[in-house]
Amino acid sequence: MSDRLSSMIATDLEARLSKLANDRENCADYSEMACPSYPQDRGCGTNPLDVWALTVLEWAGCSAPTASDASQNSSDRECSDDSEPCFLKAYLIAPSFEALILFVAHHIKAYFSEQVTAGRLRPDDYRLILPIANEGTETDCTYFYCADHEDPYTMARVECGMFPLSGSSVERQKAPVPRYIVADAEIAADKHGLGGAVQRLDTKTRELYYNQHNRLFAWGLTIACRTICAYVFGLDDIWVSTAMDISGERGRQAFITLLVDWSLCSTDSLRLDPSIRYAFSDNVGNRCLEIDVYEVDKSTSRVEHRTYYSKECIGGAENLIGPRTRYFAVSTSPESMDKPAFLVKDVWIPMNGDCADDMHDGRLILDVIHRNFGNSSEFSGSFPRLVSAGPVYINRGGELVEDTTTTAFAGLPGISKVRQHRRIVTKWAGKMISTATYEDQVVIAIADAMTAYNAIYEKCKVLHGNITDRAILLKESADGVTGLLAEFDYATFLSDTGDIGDIGDTCGAVDIGTTVEPELPELSMFWPIYRLEGAVVPHTRLGDCESLFYLVCVLGTFGINKAEQEKFAKVVKERYARCQPEALRIKEWNTGAAEDIALSKRNHTETMRAFERNILSKMKQHPSLSDLAVDIYKVLFQHPSLSDNSEDVVDPLVLRHPFEAEIVANLLKVLEDHKQRAIKARAVREANAATAAEVARGAAVAAPSPTPAPEPSSAAGPSRRRKRVEIPLTGPAASTRSKTSHQSHNA
């Protein structure tokens, strides 16, 4: 029904615009052409509906350009269609694009308000799609988001948000919380800026995934002059629509249909996860997340769920492509959210045929680890303890079905990889390492986690395979901090031959079509070189040790916690604004195709001098991590086996594989040495803090009490105060004095 309704409304709106375009040529006063369905709009040539319609028609080229437009240079008139000059700039396209959105939203609200008033529809079933205005842009244009430090003549941005049908006025909305955003629209003045618009769209969509914790997939738009393209961002694929040219009736109707669909479709069709909901946790208005975790009752085969409550997402989805992993610190009631007892991991894992690959959710690995270390006094607290794990279910026609990419992207062609949506619940073990306050905490956590890493390798025959900033947790206690090892999604059991085989066929760039540049899965900046190159070599502990090296470099450069990272990003942005861009070679570890990242890492680690120049020079604000990075570099990249530069060896790093045990042992010694230094540094820091606190308390006790300020002396009298002597009065003078004092008191 919604498809037919969307098509009907879109056809009607396009017919209105076409009629207005034709009538305009024969009508001197547009106020005579008020929309017949809205008598309240009649006779008002300046009413918003008229203005929006006129703006859309002018953008579509249904009217001649103004004299100021015609006076532009010919180089400014290029459009996505070479046969027609474009008289528009990006900052002019933005309000025109907004006018089209508002024009559609006005009719949607008018059409459905009657239905809601009559009780035939619920207001929650539909929504308005409205542009979000940014009042604080650095340009003269306040109608849209403009890219920082970019030319508004060549590029602009409009974010489309969803708002309730009832209670929302049809106008530009001030920026709401990120969860209301439906799609980002990146605008380029012509086809030459389209590539930059696509790149900006990728960046903003990545931010959308990170901020919208219930976003499963996202929409996006690019606009080049009068041509609009819509994008759907999947987990491993990105689809792009055919170009919609709004200068023609067919293109306008296609885009209007898309806007109407966004307004009328179900929330599930927008792919906002119904099992993660924003709710109020108390009467004050504080919000929380309600997260459903599903389990199948083995006795009845019924799907049951339990709801957990989270105050925050402690690890958002960071990339466009990949499993889109999120972490939530949760409790079993809203009242206990400040003290979370569990960790919920939301992830999309690959499927083998009709079955999910259980190796990729870490459940089997954790079972083996706890069988071996559950009673160990040394390592029992070094790993998360599994509570439950299972797929996420969604309602399809009144029936609960497993949420997979097949159901999520039904109707879209060429799904490259089938994934299952799954949630894993573990007991709360610790925070992300990125929540550390001091460098010594980071060093201790890394050393503890890698000690546990080697223990499970030797006793459980398990190779972790994914050392990143999310794999190391930080646990604080009265005795200090300890590190834990987590994130076993890529862990693998060793075979009888002592290795896990070749991985070259599963690593490398992900093919997401021809319209968008391929992007690596999330957290690939920590991958070892051979994995990025897709080399067919045995995957050993050396790959994880190399990932640890990259992790230390990243934390030492960008900051160990969110506050430091934001401060660093602000400094870089300010330098960019002063035309003094920061030469951060480490950014090349997360930019481009897999082979480009691998080449950058090779160049940056080829010699100690190259490492110091490209990476180490940017880690000066974190001396402990800088020293640790140098020592790890010496162990990994300066092993004597790598000195042979024989022409027969294609990859010198292959030569170190026979010395794996020796290199890992040396690395663990280095980590233990730095851990002891960190413990001493922590003791000194805590002693200094205690001394400073004692001094502050002593100063507060010894501080004299404040003395009252002296009364100001008379201007005519001497500066020295004279003692005042009261002389008792009798007779008439006494009564006069008493009366005067009483009047003064009343005054």
Side-chain angles (χ1 to χ4, degrees), residues 385-402:
R385 183 173 294 276
L386 182 68
V387 176
S388 65
V392 175
Y393 289 83
I394 58 175
N395 193 314
R396 281 284 188 267
E399 181 182 358
L400 289 177
V401 298
E402 292 184 5

PDB file of all heavy atoms in Angstrom, residues 385-402:
ATOM      1  N   ARG A 385      34.264 -13.131  30.494  1.00  0.00           N
ATOM      2  CA  ARG A 385      33.538 -14.383  30.741  1.00  0.00           C
ATOM      3  C   ARG A 385      32.208 -14.344  29.985  1.00  0.00           C
ATOM      4  O   ARG A 385      31.402 -13.432  30.177  1.00  0.00           O
ATOM      5  CB  ARG A 385      33.298 -14.585  32.233  1.00  0.00           C
ATOM      6  CG  ARG A 385      32.612 -15.911  32.591  1.00  0.00           C
ATOM      7  CD  ARG A 385      32.565 -16.094  34.088  1.00  0.00           C
ATOM      8  NE  ARG A 385      33.889 -16.261  34.650  1.00  0.00           N
ATOM      9  CZ  ARG A 385      34.546 -17.435  34.701  1.00  0.00           C
ATOM     10  NH1 ARG A 385      33.981 -18.529  34.208  1.00  0.00           N
ATOM     11  NH2 ARG A 385      35.736 -17.498  35.242  1.00  0.00           N
ATOM     12  N   LEU A 386      31.985 -15.328  29.131  1.00  0.00           N
ATOM     13  CA  LEU A 386      30.799 -15.366  28.275  1.00  0.00           C
ATOM     14  C   LEU A 386      29.529 -15.618  29.089  1.00  0.00           C
ATOM     15  O   LEU A 386      29.492 -16.479  29.962  1.00  0.00           O
ATOM     16  CB  LEU A 386      30.967 -16.456  27.216  1.00  0.00           C
ATOM     17  CG  LEU A 386      29.831 -16.610  26.203  1.00  0.00           C
ATOM     18  CD1 LEU A 386      29.778 -15.393  25.288  1.00  0.00           C
ATOM     19  CD2 LEU A 386      30.014 -17.881  25.387  1.00  0.00           C
ATOM     20  N   VAL A 387      28.469 -14.857  28.775  1.00  0.00           N
ATOM     21  CA  VAL A 387      27.157 -15.041  29.391  1.00  0.00           C
ATOM     22  C   VAL A 387      26.190 -15.662  28.390  1.00  0.00           C
ATOM     23  O   VAL A 387      25.530 -16.657  28.674  1.00  0.00           O
ATOM     24  CB  VAL A 387      26.604 -13.707  29.914  1.00  0.00           C
ATOM     25  CG1 VAL A 387      25.186 -13.882  30.462  1.00  0.00           C
ATOM     26  CG2 VAL A 387      27.516 -13.145  30.988  1.00  0.00           C
ATOM     27  N   SER A 388      26.075 -15.059  27.211  1.00  0.00           N
ATOM     28  CA  SER A 388      25.196 -15.604  26.174  1.00  0.00           C
ATOM     29  C   SER A 388      25.630 -15.061  24.822  1.00  0.00           C
ATOM     30  O   SER A 388      26.333 -14.044  24.742  1.00  0.00           O
ATOM     31  CB  SER A 388      23.727 -15.236  26.437  1.00  0.00           C
ATOM     32  OG  SER A 388      23.552 -13.828  26.343  1.00  0.00           O
ATOM     33  N   ALA A 389      25.189 -15.745  23.780  1.00  0.00           N
ATOM     34  CA  ALA A 389      25.486 -15.306  22.417  1.00  0.00           C
ATOM     35  C   ALA A 389      24.428 -15.892  21.496  1.00  0.00           C
ATOM     36  O   ALA A 389      23.997 -17.032  21.662  1.00  0.00           O
ATOM     37  CB  ALA A 389      26.879 -15.756  21.980  1.00  0.00           C
ATOM     38  N   GLY A 390      24.002 -15.098  20.519  1.00  0.00           N
ATOM     39  CA  GLY A 390      22.991 -15.581  19.592  1.00  0.00           C
ATOM     40  C   GLY A 390      22.637 -14.534  18.564  1.00  0.00           C
ATOM     41  O   GLY A 390      23.036 -13.368  18.664  1.00  0.00           O
ATOM     42  N   PRO A 391      21.874 -14.930  17.547  1.00  0.00           N
ATOM     43  CA  PRO A 391      21.493 -13.987  16.493  1.00  0.00           C
ATOM     44  C   PRO A 391      20.441 -12.993  16.964  1.00  0.00           C
ATOM     45  O   PRO A 391      19.751 -13.205  17.960  1.00  0.00           O
ATOM     46  CB  PRO A 391      20.933 -14.901  15.394  1.00  0.00           C
ATOM     47  CG  PRO A 391      20.465 -16.117  16.118  1.00  0.00           C
ATOM     48  CD  PRO A 391      21.379 -16.289  17.286  1.00  0.00           C
ATOM     49  N   VAL A 392      20.327 -11.899  16.217  1.00  0.00           N
ATOM     50  CA  VAL A 392      19.277 -10.908  16.434  1.00  0.00           C
ATOM     51  C   VAL A 392      18.101 -11.266  15.542  1.00  0.00           C
ATOM     52  O   VAL A 392      18.283 -11.667  14.385  1.00  0.00           O
ATOM     53  CB  VAL A 392      19.791  -9.489  16.113  1.00  0.00           C
ATOM     54  CG1 VAL A 392      18.668  -8.471  16.225  1.00  0.00           C
ATOM     55  CG2 VAL A 392      20.944  -9.122  17.033  1.00  0.00           C
ATOM     56  N   TYR A 393      16.887 -11.117  16.068  1.00  0.00           N
ATOM     57  CA  TYR A 393      15.678 -11.454  15.320  1.00  0.00           C
ATOM     58  C   TYR A 393      14.885 -10.178  15.024  1.00  0.00           C
ATOM     59  O   TYR A 393      14.858  -9.248  15.831  1.00  0.00           O
ATOM     60  CB  TYR A 393      14.806 -12.433  16.106  1.00  0.00           C
ATOM     61  CG  TYR A 393      15.387 -13.823  16.198  1.00  0.00           C
ATOM     62  CD1 TYR A 393      16.342 -14.128  17.161  1.00  0.00           C
ATOM     63  CD2 TYR A 393      14.998 -14.823  15.310  1.00  0.00           C
ATOM     64  CE1 TYR A 393      16.892 -15.399  17.251  1.00  0.00           C
ATOM     65  CE2 TYR A 393      15.534 -16.102  15.391  1.00  0.00           C
ATOM     66  CZ  TYR A 393      16.479 -16.379  16.359  1.00  0.00           C
ATOM     67  OH  TYR A 393      17.026 -17.642  16.431  1.00  0.00           O
ATOM     68  N   ILE A 394      14.241 -10.157  13.867  1.00  0.00           N
ATOM     69  CA  ILE A 394      13.380  -9.043  13.488  1.00  0.00           C
ATOM     70  C   ILE A 394      12.016  -9.581  13.088  1.00  0.00           C
ATOM     71  O   ILE A 394      11.873 -10.758  12.727  1.00  0.00           O
ATOM     72  CB  ILE A 394      13.983  -8.225  12.326  1.00  0.00           C
ATOM     73  CG1 ILE A 394      14.219  -9.124  11.108  1.00  0.00           C
ATOM     74  CG2 ILE A 394      15.266  -7.545  12.750  1.00  0.00           C
ATOM     75  CD1 ILE A 394      14.690  -8.356   9.888  1.00  0.00           C
ATOM     76  N   ASN A 395      11.029  -8.711  13.159  1.00  0.00           N
ATOM     77  CA  ASN A 395       9.655  -9.096  12.847  1.00  0.00           C
ATOM     78  C   ASN A 395       9.401  -8.913  11.355  1.00  0.00           C
ATOM     79  O   ASN A 395       9.528  -7.815  10.827  1.00  0.00           O
ATOM     80  CB  ASN A 395       8.681  -8.244  13.656  1.00  0.00           C
ATOM     81  CG  ASN A 395       7.268  -8.798  13.614  1.00  0.00           C
ATOM     82  OD1 ASN A 395       6.767  -9.158  12.557  1.00  0.00           O
ATOM     83  ND2 ASN A 395       6.626  -8.849  14.773  1.00  0.00           N
ATOM     84  N   ARG A 396       9.052  -9.994  10.689  1.00  0.00           N
ATOM     85  CA  ARG A 396       8.710  -9.967   9.274  1.00  0.00           C
ATOM     86  C   ARG A 396       7.321 -10.581   9.097  1.00  0.00           C
ATOM     87  O   ARG A 396       7.158 -11.792   9.161  1.00  0.00           O
ATOM     88  CB  ARG A 396       9.729 -10.762   8.434  1.00  0.00           C
ATOM     89  CG  ARG A 396      11.019 -10.011   8.168  1.00  0.00           C
ATOM     90  CD  ARG A 396      10.794  -8.949   7.101  1.00  0.00           C
ATOM     91  NE  ARG A 396      12.034  -8.323   6.683  1.00  0.00           N
ATOM     92  CZ  ARG A 396      12.528  -7.217   7.196  1.00  0.00           C
ATOM     93  NH1 ARG A 396      11.891  -6.633   8.193  1.00  0.00           N
ATOM     94  NH2 ARG A 396      13.648  -6.685   6.749  1.00  0.00           N
ATOM     95  N   GLY A 397       6.319  -9.712   8.938  1.00  0.00           N
ATOM     96  CA  GLY A 397       4.959 -10.203   8.763  1.00  0.00           C
ATOM     97  C   GLY A 397       4.424 -10.940   9.967  1.00  0.00           C
ATOM     98  O   GLY A 397       3.689 -11.928   9.823  1.00  0.00           O
ATOM     99  N   GLY A 398       4.793 -10.499  11.174  1.00  0.00           N
ATOM    100  CA  GLY A 398       4.320 -11.144  12.383  1.00  0.00           C
ATOM    101  C   GLY A 398       5.133 -12.342  12.802  1.00  0.00           C
ATOM    102  O   GLY A 398       4.800 -12.992  13.795  1.00  0.00           O
ATOM    103  N   GLU A 399       6.198 -12.647  12.098  1.00  0.00           N
ATOM    104  CA  GLU A 399       7.042 -13.795  12.415  1.00  0.00           C
ATOM    105  C   GLU A 399       8.470 -13.316  12.665  1.00  0.00           C
ATOM    106  O   GLU A 399       8.997 -12.474  11.935  1.00  0.00           O
ATOM    107  CB  GLU A 399       7.015 -14.799  11.267  1.00  0.00           C
ATOM    108  CG  GLU A 399       7.861 -16.040  11.523  1.00  0.00           C
ATOM    109  CD  GLU A 399       7.845 -16.993  10.346  1.00  0.00           C
ATOM    110  OE1 GLU A 399       7.150 -16.692   9.353  1.00  0.00           O
ATOM    111  OE2 GLU A 399       8.532 -18.029  10.407  1.00  0.00           O
ATOM    112  N   LEU A 400       9.101 -13.861  13.707  1.00  0.00           N
ATOM    113  CA  LEU A 400      10.478 -13.509  14.017  1.00  0.00           C
ATOM    114  C   LEU A 400      11.431 -14.309  13.146  1.00  0.00           C
ATOM    115  O   LEU A 400      11.378 -15.545  13.117  1.00  0.00           O
ATOM    116  CB  LEU A 400      10.783 -13.772  15.498  1.00  0.00           C
ATOM    117  CG  LEU A 400      10.129 -12.833  16.514  1.00  0.00           C
ATOM    118  CD1 LEU A 400      10.472 -13.258  17.940  1.00  0.00           C
ATOM    119  CD2 LEU A 400      10.566 -11.394  16.274  1.00  0.00           C
ATOM    120  N   VAL A 401      12.287 -13.612  12.421  1.00  0.00           N
ATOM    121  CA  VAL A 401      13.275 -14.263  11.567  1.00  0.00           C
ATOM    122  C   VAL A 401      14.647 -13.690  11.900  1.00  0.00           C
ATOM    123  O   VAL A 401      14.772 -12.570  12.405  1.00  0.00           O
ATOM    124  CB  VAL A 401      12.964 -14.059  10.067  1.00  0.00           C
ATOM    125  CG1 VAL A 401      11.631 -14.689   9.705  1.00  0.00           C
ATOM    126  CG2 VAL A 401      12.959 -12.576   9.713  1.00  0.00           C
ATOM    127  N   GLU A 402      15.691 -14.458  11.608  1.00  0.00           N
ATOM    128  CA  GLU A 402      17.047 -13.992  11.876  1.00  0.00           C
ATOM    129  C   GLU A 402      17.383 -12.806  10.983  1.00  0.00           C
ATOM    130  O   GLU A 402      17.039 -12.775   9.801  1.00  0.00           O
ATOM    131  CB  GLU A 402      18.048 -15.126  11.648  1.00  0.00           C
ATOM    132  CG  GLU A 402      17.930 -16.254  12.660  1.00  0.00           C
ATOM    133  CD  GLU A 402      18.999 -17.314  12.451  1.00  0.00           C
ATOM    134  OE1 GLU A 402      19.871 -17.104  11.568  1.00  0.00           O
ATOM    135  OE2 GLU A 402      18.983 -18.334  13.159  1.00  0.00           O
TER     136      GLU A 402
END
